[in-house]
Amino acid sequence: MERFLTRHGDRITATLSGFDRLRFRGSLRSLSYVKGLEIFLSTQQVLLKDFGRYVEELSDTVKQHAERLAATTGRPLEFLPSSRVSKEERARAIAEQDGVRAGLICILSCVESCRTYGVRKDRRSKHLVVTPQERKCLHLYFYFHDPEFGLMHIRLQTWVPFTIQICVNGREWLARQLAARGIAHRQVDNALTAIDDPVRAQALLDTLGTRAWTPVLAAWARRVNPLITRLRRAGLRPYYWSLDESEYATDLLFGDPATLHRLYPALTHHAISQFGSEDVLRFLGRRPQAGFSGEVRTLFGRVEGVRVKHWVEENSIKMYDKHGCILRIETTLNNPRRYNVRRTVTRQGHRTRTWCRLRKGVADVARRVEVSRAANARYLDALSVVGEPSPSYRLLDSVSQPIVHRGRRYRPLRPISPQEAPLLRAILRGEHCAQGFRNADLRQRLYPDAARDPIARRQAANRVTRLIRLLRAHRLVHKTPHTRYYRVSPLGHQVMSTALTFRERDLALLAA
């Protein structure tokens, strides 16, 4: 991200990185699998033939609690005939109509699909058995104006296993925190378009990544689910909380909307035309491997402005302009198990600290922040080559002259020539974006046949060494200290991308 800020820093008034939308999921784990449900029914002395009647009683308790809550607060409980109706838009309309600024706004109910259980007769044993089912049941949506999180909602499944979802917005939370501390800001929807103290705002937003979420979520769940106390007395563990989906956004606030308006088309064109599958994998922290069988997609469309979205299996990263003055890069994690986290586990009876799969549980939220923030930063670094206001000849002329570096004279570069273009193309490959490149990486790309002959391999390594020295003398690459890796400098990104663009661009477009 630093490269992008170096190029466009004089136009950017503030940067803000943190959670946008968070969707938590609460699961009663004792009821989330068949054996656990059977044990629970046994402890409650409920026969399988009475399963439907017993669960219906529990469901009625949930629905009656919602009716009482609506009557007590004087807020509407409204049934939506279709699940396609936007609940949030309806809740906002009710809040605006009734002037609700705090507390419960409304309760919306809707029949939607869910994962639940049923009882059927087993053909072999001739006994009733519990089976998982996909069916539809009533869901309740509780919309609140929370004093801390602003507009939020809780979705409660009214049939066993009574799964709950809680959705909050990090930018809405931050706006309320800034207001409470007297920090001037301007908010449009869920975006902050101006902040007087961006450093303090960033520090506040960072606390969402280390917050103890379980007590907060449990308190919200108790407000809407009257069965929690009853089920706990029956020996069930409380809700297990996981972060089902997280959106981590990096906002770059441009002081002059016209500047972003001129720059953004070039950014979208570069993202569509230059970012290949390997680049997208690298952005999202995945290594291109021969065994990778997932799907990588790039979509372009108009959602909240012109948007470019890249998918790697279930996770994605996208770019769009928001309210004309914000460039937003946003990483969405739906399946964190594609990543690893370092934690202490028990292996063969011993406690050891090692890398494990990243879980959805709220205990690993801090690691989600690291993964998402790094993805956004890599994406912005790759975009840092876009938007150079000076004519291209100034970049290319600077490396087309001989140079003396540390007392040694080096020849000029010929970046558009067919001899040197493959070198630049190999260096700018997406797989080198995160860590850099080595001599061996370039050798495998430029001289693949040399790997079979030790003498040819040594000669190829020497040629690549001389080429790297030439690029270092022209300040296009630099060595990472104490490693064998080299990284492309901001000047190198500009020169190499410009040269390859000239070489590969259609002649009719250049002459237009």
Side-chain angles (χ1 to χ4, degrees):
M1 190 167 83
E2 289 75 12
R3 294 175 181 173
F4 192 94
L5 295 178
T6 299
R7 167 164 292 188
H8 303 288
D10 57 334
R11 312 166 190 175
I12 297 172
T13 59
T15 63
L16 196 64
S17 294
F19 282 124
D20 184 26
R21 191 169 67 95
L22 297 168
R23 188 179 72 201
F24 296 95
R25 178 186 179 91
S27 305
L28 293 171
R29 303 181 82 176
S30 300
L31 303 181
S32 296
Y33 61 105
V34 171
K35 188 64 177 178
L37 179 60
E38 290 176 343
I39 294 173
F40 171 72
L41 294 175
S42 177
T43 60
Q44 301 303 298
Q45 299 181 353
V46 176
L47 300 177
L48 291 186
K49 67 177 183 178
D50 300 324
F51 171 79
R53 184 165 58 251
Y54 176 72
V55 176
E56 188 172 356
E57 176 200 341
L58 297 179
S59 179
D60 287 342
T61 302
V62 173
K63 298 173 187 176
Q64 291 167 9
H65 174 76
E67 293 172 357
R68 287 194 301 270
L69 181 60
T72 302
T73 58
R75 304 309 307 146
L77 193 162
E78 183 176 312
F79 176 75
L80 301 179
S82 173
S83 60
R84 297 183 179 181
V85 176
S86 173
K87 287 96 177 165
E88 182 169 336
E89 290 182 6
R90 180 59 186 148
R92 287 185 182 274
I94 294 175
E96 184 67 25
Q97 174 186 323
D98 297 346
V100 180
R101 295 293 178 266
L104 181 67
I105 299 172
C106 63
I107 303 174
L108 305 178
S109 62
C110 186
V111 176
E112 296 176 340
S113 299
C114 67
R115 296 180 62 185
T116 183
Y117 302 97
V119 173
R120 65 172 179 84
K121 188 174 183 179
D122 184 70
R123 291 183 177 179
R124 293 184 178 180
S125 65
K126 308 299 181 181
H127 293 155
L128 295 177
V129 294
V130 178
T131 59
Q133 289 183 353
E134 291 285 342
R135 54 170 290 181
K136 291 186 177 182
C137 76
L138 191 72
H139 289 74
L140 298 174
Y141 287 79
F142 299 80
Y143 277 88
F144 294 93
H145 260 308
D146 187 77
E148 185 181 5
F149 282 88
L151 181 65
M152 56 164 291
H153 78 265
I154 304 173
R155 177 182 185 261
L156 177 61
Q157 179 178 320
T158 62
W159 198 260
V160 68
F162 306 106
T163 303
I164 193 170
Q165 290 182 356
I166 299 178
C167 292
V168 297
N169 190 281
R171 295 301 199 270
E172 183 77 23
W173 174 87
L174 178 60
R176 290 177 173 257
Q177 297 299 310
L178 295 176
R181 289 162 174 77
I183 300 175
H185 64 282
R186 184 168 63 249
Q187 181 184 7
V188 181
D189 294 334
N190 70 328
L192 298 173
T193 58
I195 307 173
D196 270 8
D197 192 346
V199 175
R200 195 173 176 191
Q202 183 64 66
L204 287 170
L205 195 52
D206 287 342
T207 62
L208 288 182
T210 57
R211 180 167 186 159
W213 283 103
T214 299
V216 181
L217 300 170
W220 281 332
R222 288 193 295 269
R223 297 175 68 179
V224 301
N225 189 350
L227 298 177
I228 291 179
T229 303
R230 179 176 173 179
L231 295 176
R232 179 173 290 184
R233 289 173 183 168
L236 293 187
R237 289 178 292 177
Y239 276 110
Y240 172 80
W241 295 102
S242 57
L243 186 49
D244 217 24
E245 180 184 282
S246 65
E247 294 177 351
Y248 190 93
T250 296
D251 290 350
L252 284 74
L253 282 63
F254 282 73
D256 179 17
T259 302
L260 179 58
H261 181 73
R262 291 193 300 268
L263 176 64
Y264 191 66
L267 295 175
T268 56
H269 181 270
H270 186 83
I272 296 169
S273 61
Q274 299 298 323
F275 293 163
S277 298
E278 293 185 0
D279 299 305
V280 176
L281 285 167
R282 285 292 175 180
F283 296 151
L284 286 168
R286 305 284 299 279
R287 292 188 177 184
Q289 297 174 343
F292 177 77
S293 58
E295 183 180 17
V296 180
R297 294 175 290 153
T298 293
L299 305 176
F300 176 79
R302 285 188 172 272
V303 179
E304 296 185 87
V306 178
R307 185 189 73 179
V308 180
K309 188 172 186 178
H310 313 275
W311 285 89
V312 177
E313 297 171 315
E314 309 92 342
N315 304 318
S316 66
I317 186 168
K318 60 186 175 184
M319 171 181 67
Y320 57 98
D321 56 333
K322 198 170 181 69
H323 304 301
C325 62
I326 297 176
L327 175 65
R328 173 170 285 187
I329 310 298
E330 186 174 275
T331 295
T332 302
L333 293 187
N334 295 299
N335 183 7
R337 291 185 63 81
R338 303 292 183 186
Y339 302 92
N340 294 326
V341 61
R342 191 169 178 82
R343 66 171 179 265
T344 302
V345 296
T346 301
R347 297 283 172 84
Q348 298 180 347
H350 299 284
R351 299 290 286 173
T352 181
R353 192 166 181 81
T354 184
W355 288 100
C356 308
R357 292 294 185 187
L358 181 59
R359 302 166 294 185
K360 281 194 173 185
V362 293
D364 286 344
V365 170
R367 175 58 177 162
R368 273 193 185 234
V369 172
E370 295 177 6
V371 170
S372 302
R373 179 177 291 173
N376 292 351
R378 285 190 287 265
Y379 197 89
L380 283 169
D381 276 343
L383 290 173
S384 64
V385 301
V386 180
E388 175 56 46
S390 62
S392 300
Y393 73 84
R394 294 183 183 176
L395 286 174
L396 301 183
D397 285 355
S398 66
V399 297
S400 299
Q401 305 294 329
I403 190 172
V404 177
H405 178 66
R406 294 182 179 179
R408 180 175 177 179
R409 186 177 185 275
Y410 290 86
R411 68 169 176 83
L413 292 176
R414 299 181 292 274
I416 305 181
S417 68
Q419 291 76 26
E420 292 187 4
L423 170 65
L424 307 186
R425 195 176 295 110
I427 291 174
L428 290 182
R429 288 179 62 85
E431 61 199 70
H432 304 145
C433 180
Q435 192 172 9
F437 63 91
R438 301 169 301 169
N439 183 304
D441 298 325
L442 297 185
R443 188 173 70 242
Q444 292 171 5
R445 290 288 176 185
L446 300 177
Y447 309 104
D449 297 334
R452 294 189 291 269
D453 183 0
I455 297 177
R457 184 169 61 249
R458 186 166 58 252
Q459 292 175 344
N462 292 336
R463 284 195 293 269
V464 172
T465 297
R466 291 192 293 271
L467 291 173
I468 293 176
R469 286 176 181 169
L470 176 63
L471 296 176
R472 292 183 69 184
H474 284 278
R475 298 181 294 111
L476 302 189
V477 302
H478 59 83
K479 190 173 186 295
T480 303
H482 312 296
T483 71
R484 297 183 179 182
Y485 284 90
Y486 299 86
R487 296 184 67 88
V488 183
S489 68
L491 175 63
H493 270 288
Q494 298 173 26
V495 171
M496 296 182 195
S497 297
T498 301
L500 291 177
T501 298
F502 269 115
R503 181 172 177 81
E504 298 170 359
R505 184 64 62 88
D506 187 277
L507 179 61
L509 294 178
L510 288 176

